[in-house]
Amino acid sequence: MIKAVIFDVDGLLADTEPLHFLAWKKALEKYCIKLAKSDFMKVAGIGTTPTAAYIARKYALDSEVIKKEKIEIYARLIKKV
């Protein structure tokens, strides 16, 4: 009899970090910002909301707007995985 199931698709079964980086990069392009991999790596894995806050502070953007844009881009990218 199964007593428990642990399931974590984001990063465990699929390497999604490159897709998250690409989504952030594309979201920032409309603001003429080139996101460096080194900047992304400072916040990789901490979640979309804290990453949006970091990026918003660094580049003087609205964190909610940039988060929404990133989520929409990521949703399109992940469909290809």
Side-chain angles (χ1 to χ4, degrees), residues 24-67:
W24 280 116
K25 195 171 176 175
K26 286 181 176 289
L28 293 172
E29 283 175 358
K30 76 183 265 184
Y31 302 98
C32 299
I33 296 169
K34 292 184 179 182
L35 180 64
K37 182 78 170 188
S38 58
D39 278 338
F40 174 73
M41 292 310 295
K42 291 176 185 174
V43 292
I46 67 169
T48 301
T49 299
T51 300
Y54 169 79
I55 288 172
R57 280 192 308 274
K58 182 168 179 69
Y59 299 108
L61 299 171
D62 182 305
S63 66
E64 288 302 313
V65 170
I66 196 68
K67 179 173 86 170

Side-chain angles (χ1 to χ4, degrees), residues 27 30-31 65-74:
K30 76 183 265 184
Y31 302 98
V65 170
I66 196 68
K67 179 173 86 170
K68 182 177 183 260
E69 291 172 353
K70 183 271 183 181
I71 290 169
E72 290 170 0
I73 294 166
Y74 182 79

